[in-house]
Structures are given as C-alpha cells and as structure tokens.
Amino acid sequence: MALYNQHVCPVDNWLYNQSCDKELYLQSGPTLCCTLDNVPLISKCGTLPPESCFFSLICSTGSFMVMVIVFLRYAHVIEKYQNCVLNTAGLSTGWICAAGLIMIGNFQVDNAKILHYVGAGVAFPTSMLFVCLQSALTYRLAKTQGEYSVAHLRLGMTLLAFITLVLSGVFFVQESFVLQHASAIFEWVFCIIIMLFYGTFAFEFAGVTGETVMVLARGGALGPNGRDHKVESRGGPIPHPPETISML
C-alpha cells in the first residue's frame, strides 16, 4: 500500500538523493527521486495514511496474538512437562515484546519518534531473546527425533534472526544511503523469520486442549504420574476432541 501510494521507494531502488524537487507521491514516470525519508523501512511504510491506520491495526492485533501464543506455549510446557526458568522467562519476554509492538504501531515514527523508538528498542531485542529462550527450551524438552528436528529448525531460524537483526541495527546508524537501504531489507527479513518461528509452535499446539489452560488454574502440571492417575481413576483414557484453539 505504501508503494502504491508512493510513500516509500521500491526495494530494488538503491539510488538516493539528498533532496528532491518534488515529494515522492507527487512524482511520476519510471524514474523516481528518492531521499532517506523514502527508505522502505517497516516504520516508514506505516507512517502516512491510509497505511498508518492498517499499521496500527496489524500491530495491535499482532500484539494480542503474541500474548495468546506465548501464554499457550507457557501453559503447554507446564501441562506436558513441568515449569522451569526458561519457560517463565519466555512468558515474560514474549509479553514485554507485545507491549513494545503496541507502542510501535500506535506511535508512528514521524509523529512520535521517541515513543516509537522506545517501542522498537523493547520489541526487537525481546523478540530475539524470546526465540533464543524457546530454542533452548525445545532442546531441553526434546525426547523424540521429531522434537529434535523442530529444535534444529528453531535453532537455525534463531541464528538467521540474530544475524539479520545485528546487520539491520549496524546499517541503520550509518550515513550511507546503500547501507540504510540494506538495513530496511534486513529488518523485513528479521520480522518474517520471527513470524515463521511463531508458526513452528503449531507442532506443539496440535496437542493443546481445554485442559492445557485449566492446569494453570490448578497451579501446576499433571506430569506423567498425574495423567496416568487421571486415566485410571476414570476407568480408561479420556478422549480429547479437536479444540478450536488447537486448529487456530
């Protein structure tokens, strides 16, 4: 939408100028005059209306989804295994990341730069820390070959996310137009990797039921012995029909 309205320059444009005779949205023709204000950073793409409205909506909705996914992951670990420092730290960093994401979406960089950068300074490092904690937690809980495969996948995504985040941050503070543009590309890649990482929780969430959240209300995990006792006391295994939340 930002590209269509000519509020940012295309990703394949690597030529920038100190200033232009016309604003980008007033220009026409195959060749556009771009300045650093038109670098296709995620924040820049969501600065001007109408895309700023959708940017706020997406970030707010995404923040809520992050909180739900992080909470389900936390509850799932407690139900299937037991609570640990990594699990609690993952819940904390995930929710802090969600708070930063709300700030990013609702305080656009051109309108409230300080608050926007505070939100970015919270969301980006905590999202990186969250995937690191979850990768370590996956290895710690893995017992089967499939679980180790998921752990390897998450580790690879974590390393890629770390590299892209570092490069994006280093290039962002440079004065070079080319490095600024490269920073925008790495920023997009980082966010895509993080979103794909959240998608890998589908492996664990396939077994989520209503019992997953209820176990928190009881204050602890069932554990292997608790589950066996539950089965025996009721005279057999308990069927778990597919839950809406699992399918989501």
Side-chain angles (χ1 to χ4, degrees):
M1 189 180 294
L3 282 172
Y4 179 81
N5 293 321
Q6 289 191 187
H7 290 157
V8 296
C9 284
V11 175
D12 58 358
N13 173 78
W14 292 84
L15 181 62
Y16 289 89
N17 301 279
Q18 291 288 352
S19 61
C20 297
D21 295 333
K22 294 181 179 180
E23 293 291 339
L24 183 62
Y25 69 92
L26 296 175
Q27 300 176 32
S28 60
T31 304
L32 300 175
C33 178
C34 299
T35 66
L36 281 181
D37 289 334
N38 309 126
V39 175
L41 293 161
I42 296 176
S43 299
K44 285 292 184 181
C45 291
T47 296
L48 299 175
E51 52 265 25
S52 60
C53 306
F54 290 94
F55 184 67
S56 297
L57 178 63
I58 291 171
C59 286
S60 299
T61 306
S63 176
F64 173 75
M65 291 302 299
V66 166
M67 294 181 67
V68 170
I69 292 172
V70 170
F71 178 76
L72 284 178
R73 171 62 169 165
Y74 174 77
H76 174 266
V77 171
I78 292 179
E79 181 196 21
K80 300 298 182 183
Y81 309 94
Q82 61 182 359
N83 199 11
C84 59
V85 175
L86 285 175
N87 193 35
T88 304
L91 176 70
S92 301
T93 55
W95 281 16
I96 293 173
C97 173
L101 186 56
I102 287 181
M103 293 185 67
I104 291 175
N106 292 280
F107 298 99
Q108 280 85 27
V109 64
D110 286 355
N111 302 319
K113 183 173 291 186
I114 294 178
L115 290 175
H116 182 86
Y117 283 146
V118 168
V122 170
F124 280 85
T126 52
S127 62
M128 186 68 247
L129 181 58
F130 175 77
V131 297
C132 290
L133 291 171
Q134 291 300 322
S135 296
L137 183 61
T138 306
Y139 272 108
R140 179 174 178 176
L141 302 178
K143 295 179 180 179
T144 66
Q145 184 60 43
E147 291 172 342
Y148 275 107
S149 298
V150 174
H152 297 332
L153 173 63
R154 288 177 179 166
L155 177 60
M157 298 176 73
T158 300
L159 293 175
L160 286 175
F162 179 75
I163 293 171
T164 55
L165 179 62
V166 170
L167 291 177
S168 177
V170 171
F171 292 165
F172 181 75
V173 298
Q174 305 301 317
E175 296 182 358
S176 169
F177 296 158
V178 174
L179 294 182
Q180 287 270 338
H181 190 82
S183 172
I185 295 175
F186 283 120
E187 183 184 57
W188 279 100
V189 173
F190 171 78
C191 291
I192 291 172
I193 293 173
I194 295 298
M195 287 188 285
L196 291 175
F197 189 98
Y198 277 103
T200 63
F201 289 124
F203 294 107
E204 286 90 355
F205 291 174
V208 168
T209 65
E211 190 69 33
T212 303
V213 178
M214 291 302 298
V215 74
L216 293 179
R218 291 195 294 269
L222 289 176
N225 295 331
R227 282 194 295 270
D228 293 342
H229 175 72
K230 183 178 179 181
V231 170
E232 293 172 2
S233 64
R234 299 191 182 182
I238 303 172
H240 289 291
E243 301 274 345
T244 304
I245 200 166
S246 303
M247 292 186 286
L248 286 174

